[in-house]
Amino acid sequence: FSTLITPEFDAMKESGELDASMKKAPMLEVDGKRIGQSKAIERFLAREFGFMGADSVEAAQIDQLCETVIDFKNAYQKVKGIQDATEKEAAMKKWFEEDLPANVALAEKSVPPGPGPFLVGSKVSLADLVWYAFLAAPKGFFDNAEGAKASMDKCPRIKASTEAVAQIPELQEWL
């Protein structure tokens, strides 16, 4: 892992070192092979470190739950992008009081049956980490952290998952 400074980044783009990532960051190099795109890297690492479930069906269920978060983020960006201040304020209020809780409740229904507290299977997966980062992490996705956390109040599986992830000591050290 390294942090790039602008001249170094520009030189890498010019030399073709970032072609695999379409001349953008992030880019991961493994055994001389380059991988671009953050979600491809995320899933590659999840597979490598055992966070993609016990079999291909669990991997697909994990993908499904991760893609659901992407859909919700895209919907939120539309609200966040409203230019008129009054309209935006009303839309944000509605998002956190109505839309996000309703969406999270729909996602809760899509969680496969399992022993819990994790969303898929019997151990922590990428889906658990993604939902934690989305709704419960201290420096998570939303500016309105309380509104995000409240959205899962009526969603016991998602709430249990985020609470279980919050208890992972290695994660807390990293945060």
Side-chain angles (χ1 to χ4, degrees):
F1 176 78
S2 68
T3 301
L4 294 175
I5 55 174
T6 301
E8 181 183 7
F9 184 67
D10 290 342
M12 290 176 76
K13 286 194 298 188
E14 289 302 315
S15 73
E17 288 182 70
L18 295 177
D19 286 353
S21 61
M22 298 175 59
K23 298 192 182 297
K24 298 186 280 183
M27 195 263 305
L28 176 68
E29 187 169 333
V30 179
D31 298 329
K33 297 173 184 166
R34 296 185 176 124
I35 304 165
Q37 293 291 345
S38 61
K39 295 302 174 191
I41 293 167
E42 181 179 90
R43 289 184 178 123
F44 169 79
L45 293 172
R47 278 190 300 277
E48 288 295 300
F49 294 105
F51 292 100
M52 283 303 287
D55 56 38
S56 59
V57 172
E58 283 190 4
Q61 291 169 325
I62 290 164
D63 271 340
Q64 168 201 324
L65 290 165
C66 293
E67 289 297 315
T68 299
V69 169
I70 292 170
D71 290 345
F72 294 170
K73 285 180 175 183
N74 289 338
Y76 176 69
Q77 291 304 329
K78 289 178 184 173
V79 174
K80 198 171 179 180
I82 295 171
Q83 297 301 310
D84 180 78
T86 304
E87 183 183 343
K88 183 176 183 174
E89 183 179 338
M92 287 293 230
K93 182 175 174 22
K94 182 179 181 290
W95 173 261
F96 285 102
E97 291 178 4
E98 298 174 28
D99 299 343
L100 183 59
N103 286 334
V104 175
L106 280 174
E108 174 86 9
K109 291 178 181 180
S110 77
V111 173
F118 302 112
L119 295 172
V120 178
S122 60
K123 65 180 191 162
V124 67
S125 74
L126 177 62
D128 300 295
L129 299 172
V130 166
W131 277 89
Y132 173 78
F134 182 55
L135 294 177
K139 294 178 184 163
F141 179 75
F142 293 106
D143 295 333
N144 181 351
E146 292 309 312
K149 286 180 184 175
S151 72
M152 61 181 158
D153 282 347
K154 295 180 181 173
C155 302
R157 291 287 308 278
I158 292 173
K159 188 172 185 177
S161 164
T162 61
E163 290 171 351
V165 170
Q167 298 303 313
I168 298 171
E170 297 86 354
L171 179 65
Q172 294 311 310
E173 288 175 24
W174 183 75
L175 291 174

